[in-house]
Amino acid sequence: MNPTAIPSKITRLPSALHCALASFAALLLLLTAPAARAGEVSLELDTREVGVGEAITASLTISNFANCSAPQFPEIADCTVRSTGIPTDARYFTSINGRASQSITRTYRFELVPQKAGPLIVPPVEVEVDGEKLRTAPLTVRVGASQGGTLLFVEVACSTPKLYVGQQAQLTLSIWIKPASFRGALLDENEMRNFISVAQLGVFPNQIVRTRRERRENAAGERELFYVYEIETRFTADRPGELRFDDVEVGMRYPIELVRDFFELRPRRSKNLRATPSSPPIQVLPLPDAGRPDGFTGAVGRFEVRAAASPTRCRVGDPIELTLDIIGDGPLNTLPPPALRQNRQLADGFRLPDEDLAGEVLEQRKRFKPIVRPLRPDVRELPPIEYPYFDPELGEYRVARSQTIPLEVSPSETLHVADVTANAPAQSDAKQSIAARDGLLANINDPALVLQRAWRPGKTAVIAAILLPPGLFALTWLGLVRRRGDSADLKRRRSAAANARKALRQADSSAAAKNSGSILATYLAERFGFPAAHFVGGQHLADLQQLALPKDVLERVSRTIERCDAVAYAAVSAADAGALLEEAQRTIDAVEAAA
């Protein structure tokens, strides 16, 4: 056999196998690769059998899409439809033979509440997905008689039988729920409250203020037990007509079958009940035109006025600050100010503000503080401040009045030109008094009189005005800096001993003994105003001689520092450490006593 022939045959054999294997792999890849799926749309209902007024949750799901439009749910006769929120997205990632892909599923949820018994046909919902319009299949729901009126109902009551425009009243929303039972026992108020799912409350806050038990007669004449949950709000009517509460709706997942797990009691089967107020609308009456007094600004309720003035002794034209408190049961935030210009007695004797008064609400009252000025010296009192209002309980207009406030008003002083122009001739024709108008001093309107004593500064005054302020500022700044430095130095000297004793106490015995030299040096430096290095290793102890300390105290300080330096880098026993710490403490005490 020719040895060179075998390699040539072997080189041709892999070429054929490679072709076959490549063809097989391509076919296998085509068979196993996921086919591109078109977009899909489906609609599911959480139940197919409900009662009138019970909610159905419809979930519209869009799958396998790149782009889709927001669906418009069609209108359904005898059924309310509304969206329950923004859509939710779910993303799925897959990888087959190294090829990754992803898909998106988007879900829109709607709530359907049938208002009539009988079959309910849910029509197809059309959605545009990737440029193509897709439709869901129609669905049918069986709607039976309502059970909401026997299990859940809502009422709205008003605190007053008549309500006028601008009147504030208390509205009470009452939610009546028939208690469910579990294993033969009724659930309590808190357990039933957990099943309430508030849909919308309109003007009412989402806060239950009171819970009570009440019995109510049913259609069969039996008195059944209900739990009543009350919500309150203060409401002010702004226009006449019927006050309806169509925007109020209370939802509840009423339990039909309950199960208790480890954490809580939860429904295994339930009904999605919805209830709107069954009470008749409240009539809001307009304010009558007959008997409306001058100065009425729209206050509705019952009010009284209290007034105070400061000062009560003044001259003509001086400002007097009034404090007007409007006290009552009306809506204080929107309570209008009193119309002072409509009060004839007040307008005749006082100059009144032209701008609208701003008020401040303070504990069952609204306070206004206008400024008035007496016009004549014969004004002897501040007349009663009038505040017209409409009393809804009496159905008529009334006027609240404050008490009269006595005043002492003196004439204003009259100034002459000679008093302010010393250079004017005594018999000059220019001499004239400043005229008084309505008891108030008029302005000088003659330029010659104003400029007659005009003062012109000289060169020296100008230079002093330029240089004096910077010089005063520099001197003041230097004084503050020096004072601040002296204060800091004094504080440091006073706290030196306390800081040293604290440092000696805080560390353990061995560590404090090794650091006692540094602590003592720091103390001496702070106490006598030297750098700490002066007292390390006995250096410059002569500096202490200047402080007139006794010789024995100086020698004691020197010995203590030498002992501290000796143990700084050597091993020391607990007993020696304790003795050294005591010696450092006694040295500090001796210095303090001598200084």
Side-chain angles (χ1 to χ4, degrees):
M1 179 178 293
N2 187 0
T4 60
I6 294 176
S8 63
K9 292 182 180 179
I10 294 176
T11 56
R12 288 194 300 270
L13 180 59
S15 177
L17 287 175
H18 286 165
C19 293
L21 291 174
S23 300
F24 178 75
L27 179 61
L28 183 63
L29 184 60
L30 290 174
L31 293 176
T32 58
R37 298 176 60 187
E40 298 177 355
V41 177
S42 62
L43 181 66
E44 295 182 358
L45 306 178
D46 65 341
T47 182
R48 294 295 186 93
E49 185 174 351
V50 295
V52 174
E54 298 178 15
I56 307 168
T57 300
S59 300
L60 180 66
T61 303
I62 308 171
S63 306
N64 306 319
F65 68 93
N67 296 288
C68 71
S69 61
Q72 295 294 327
F73 209 98
E75 295 183 359
I76 306 176
D78 299 321
C79 180
T80 59
V81 180
R82 66 166 170 261
S83 173
T84 59
I86 62 176
T88 57
D89 286 357
R91 297 179 180 270
Y92 302 93
F93 297 89
T94 58
S95 179
I96 301 177
N97 295 328
R99 299 181 60 184
S101 62
Q102 66 172 341
S103 61
I104 304 176
T105 299
R106 181 170 297 169
T107 302
Y108 294 84
R109 288 181 175 83
F110 300 87
E111 187 179 78
L112 315 179
V113 182
Q115 306 297 330
K116 182 180 179 181
L120 176 67
I121 306 298
V122 180
V125 182
E126 186 176 275
V127 185
E128 185 175 346
V129 180
D130 294 333
E132 182 181 359
K133 292 186 178 180
L134 304 180
R135 295 162 59 92
T136 63
L139 302 174
T140 303
V141 179
R142 294 177 57 187
V143 181
S146 172
Q147 295 186 1
T150 60
L151 302 176
L152 168 70
F153 58 91
V154 178
E155 293 179 343
V156 176
C158 183
S159 60
T160 176
K162 288 183 180 181
L163 189 62
Y164 288 88
V165 173
Q167 179 183 0
Q168 187 178 71
Q170 179 173 292
L171 300 179
T172 303
L173 176 68
S174 300
I175 305 173
W176 295 65
I177 299 177
K178 185 177 180 180
S181 61
F182 176 67
R183 296 179 181 176
L186 294 178
L187 273 64
D188 60 24
E189 292 89 339
N190 291 330
E191 291 174 321
M192 290 301 299
R193 179 177 179 174
N194 293 332
F195 300 115
I196 299 177
S197 57
V198 175
Q200 53 187 10
L201 291 179
V203 298
F204 293 94
N206 189 8
Q207 182 178 4
I208 296 174
V209 298
R210 192 166 40 254
T211 303
R212 57 187 174 90
R213 297 190 176 194
E214 192 77 27
R215 291 194 174 272
R216 189 183 184 98
E217 186 173 327
N218 58 17
E222 301 174 348
R223 297 186 62 81
E224 297 180 314
L225 177 65
F226 281 84
Y227 299 153
V228 184
Y229 305 88
E230 294 183 345
I231 301 175
E232 295 178 345
T233 187
R234 302 291 292 179
F235 177 79
T236 303
D238 57 357
R239 58 181 178 272
E242 289 187 347
L243 182 59
R244 309 183 65 89
F245 301 94
D246 298 334
D247 57 344
V248 175
E249 184 180 56
V250 177
M252 182 179 187
R253 189 184 177 194
Y254 194 90
I256 302 300
E257 182 180 354
L258 291 163
V259 60
R260 186 181 295 277
D261 56 19
F262 182 76
F263 297 101
E264 60 181 353
L265 188 67
R266 58 182 179 84
R268 178 177 295 170
R269 292 189 305 113
S270 61
K271 289 181 175 293
N272 291 326
L273 302 181
R274 295 292 183 271
T276 56
S278 57
S279 50
I282 300 173
Q283 297 293 329
V284 180
L285 303 177
L287 297 180
D289 295 330
R292 180 174 298 184
D294 295 336
F296 176 73
T297 56
V300 179
R302 285 188 169 181
F303 302 95
E304 61 175 300
V305 183
R306 296 178 184 176
S310 178
T312 56
R313 299 180 63 182
C314 61
R315 297 178 302 178
V316 172
D318 288 349
I320 300 176
E321 183 182 59
L322 301 184
T323 300
L324 306 179
D325 287 339
I326 312 298
I327 306 171
D329 57 358
L332 297 180
N333 288 331
T334 58
L335 195 66
L340 300 181
R341 292 191 172 276
Q342 298 295 327
N343 190 331
R344 294 181 180 178
Q345 288 183 313
L346 186 65
D348 289 343
F350 295 86
R351 178 184 294 177
L352 304 177
D354 297 327
E355 68 277 2
D356 294 334
L357 301 181
E360 180 184 9
V361 177
L362 301 169
E363 295 183 0
Q364 303 299 323
R365 68 187 62 199
K366 191 166 186 178
R367 176 167 293 177
F368 302 91
K369 305 187 76 171
I371 301 294
V372 300
R373 299 172 185 266
L375 296 176
R376 302 183 308 275
D378 60 346
V379 174
R380 293 291 177 262
E381 63 182 16
L382 183 76
I385 304 300
E386 298 181 348
Y387 193 72
Y389 64 92
F390 180 79
D391 189 336
E393 295 186 13
L394 300 177
E396 60 184 27
Y397 292 95
R398 307 294 295 271
V399 178
R401 293 180 175 86
S402 65
Q403 296 292 328
T404 300
I405 300 177
L407 298 177
E408 295 183 17
V409 181
S410 59
S412 59
E413 296 182 359
T414 302
L415 299 180
H416 295 276
V417 177
D419 298 332
V420 294
T421 57
N423 295 329
Q427 288 82 17
S428 173
D429 295 337
K431 179 179 178 182
Q432 51 181 302
S433 62
I434 301 176
R437 299 176 182 176
D438 295 332
L440 302 181
L441 297 178
N443 293 330
I444 299 175
N445 53 16
D446 188 351
L449 297 178
V450 177
L451 299 176
Q452 189 170 4
R453 289 182 56 85
W455 176 76
R456 296 181 180 179
K459 184 177 180 180
T460 304
V462 173
I463 296 175
I466 295 175
L467 299 180
L468 188 59
L472 291 176
F473 174 79
L475 292 175
T476 305
W477 181 77
L478 290 175
L480 290 175
V481 169
R482 183 175 180 180
R483 183 178 179 183
R484 187 174 300 173
D486 294 343
S487 177
D489 184 65
L490 180 61
K491 183 177 180 182
R492 183 178 52 146
R493 290 169 181 258
R494 290 180 176 177
S495 60
N499 294 337
R501 294 188 182 103
K502 182 178 180 182
L504 291 173
R505 289 195 305 268
Q506 284 182 344
D508 58 78
S509 298
S510 59
K514 290 180 178 295
N515 296 329
S516 57
S518 175
I519 296 174
L520 189 57
T522 302
Y523 159 70
L524 293 173
E526 292 181 350
R527 183 65 177 82
F528 299 109
F530 291 105
H534 280 230
F535 309 106
V536 178
Q539 299 176 16
H540 299 287
L541 287 178
D543 290 335
L544 295 178
Q545 301 284 352
Q546 303 175 7
L547 302 177
L549 287 175
K551 183 177 179 181
D552 59 332
V553 175
L554 291 176
E555 293 176 354
R556 184 169 191 167
V557 171
S558 178
R559 290 194 304 269
T560 305
I561 291 179
E562 290 176 358
R563 291 186 59 189
C564 292
D565 291 341
V567 301
Y569 301 101
V572 60
S573 63
D576 293 339
L580 183 58
L581 292 177
E582 292 181 1
E583 178 62 23
Q585 290 274 12
R586 288 194 294 269
T587 300
I588 293 174
D589 295 340
V591 173
E592 286 295 314

